[in-house]
Amino acid sequence: MKKILTSLTIAAILATPLVFAKEASSEKQANTAVDFRKAVLQLVRSNMGPLGAMAKGQIDYDADVMTTNSLRIGQLASMMGDYFALDTRKFPVKTDARDIVWEEMDDFKSKTQDLINAAASLQKVAMAKDESNYRKAIGDLGSTCKACHDKFKKD
Ligand code: ASC
């Protein structure tokens, strides 16, 4: 009896990750999840555009745009863990997300947290109208984008 209980406990422990893993249940659901993921990333891109241009001196420094866009990017970054939670690897979806997203979800989430932190730092710089530091703050934000893309995005 004790042996049976022990094996049942071990079996339950081994099965636990399967209970928590959220796998897409149909190709339709997987495609919708990809649409939503891309929407979040495209909004980040849309908000990064003017910041990148400011850092490069292509457009004038604008503290209001920096404040608004860094707030938005932080909010979008806080959604990424949820929007990437559904594992779509089993379906032939058109995605730039590499399988490693779901193999190393903890690191993926930690990289989204780096983006949240970098966005908060930029927001501080923007609200303080700290013109001597905004280029660096935008550069640091861009580096967190790149760090995640290098590992988790297809070339
Ligand atoms: C952007 C953008 C990205 C990142 C990345 C930073 O503006 O669209 O994907 O910055 O290029 O390295």
Side-chain angles (χ1 to χ4, degrees):
M1 187 61 191
K2 210 174 175 189
K3 257 190 191 165
I4 291 170
L5 276 178
T6 308
S7 1
L8 280 176
T9 307
I10 290 168
I13 290 166
L14 290 175
T16 301
L18 297 176
V19 175
F20 289 104
K22 276 202 273 177
E23 275 193 10
S25 55
S26 68
E27 188 166 338
K28 187 169 181 250
Q29 189 199 28
N31 279 319
T32 303
V34 172
D35 284 347
F36 293 156
R37 284 178 345 214
K38 287 185 178 174
V40 172
L41 272 303
Q42 288 302 315
L43 282 176
V44 173
R45 180 180 169 213
S46 153
N47 283 279
M48 262 313 275
L51 300 179
M54 276 180 219
K56 288 183 196 144
Q58 293 166 342
I59 59 171
D60 286 343
Y61 162 77
D62 185 327
D64 290 338
V65 170
M66 240 184 268
T67 302
T68 299
N69 291 20
S70 57
L71 174 64
R72 289 180 185 164
I73 291 167
Q75 289 169 331
L76 291 161
S78 75
M79 301 175 203
M80 287 177 185
D82 281 348
Y83 277 105
F84 278 82
L86 195 75
D87 178 355
T88 54
R89 283 177 292 177
K90 285 224 175 110
F91 295 98
V93 291
K94 275 194 190 169
T95 181
D96 285 338
R98 298 177 61 204
D99 285 355
I100 195 173
V101 169
W102 295 278
E103 290 156 7
E104 297 192 23
M105 182 49 78
D106 285 351
D107 189 48
F108 179 83
K109 283 188 182 165
S110 144
K111 285 180 166 43
T112 69
Q113 186 60 49
D114 293 341
L115 175 55
I116 294 170
N117 296 345
S121 297
L122 175 60
Q123 210 190 338
K124 255 193 204 161
V125 168
M127 288 171 73
K129 304 200 190 297
D130 181 357
E131 287 196 43
S132 58
N133 275 322
Y134 79 88
R135 274 173 208 271
K136 184 182 182 308
I138 293 171
D140 289 348
L141 182 56
S143 301
T144 69
C145 301
K146 186 177 184 317
C148 195
H149 290 171
D150 284 352
K151 179 164 180 177
F152 295 109
K153 189 184 177 197
K154 289 178 194 165
D155 303 320

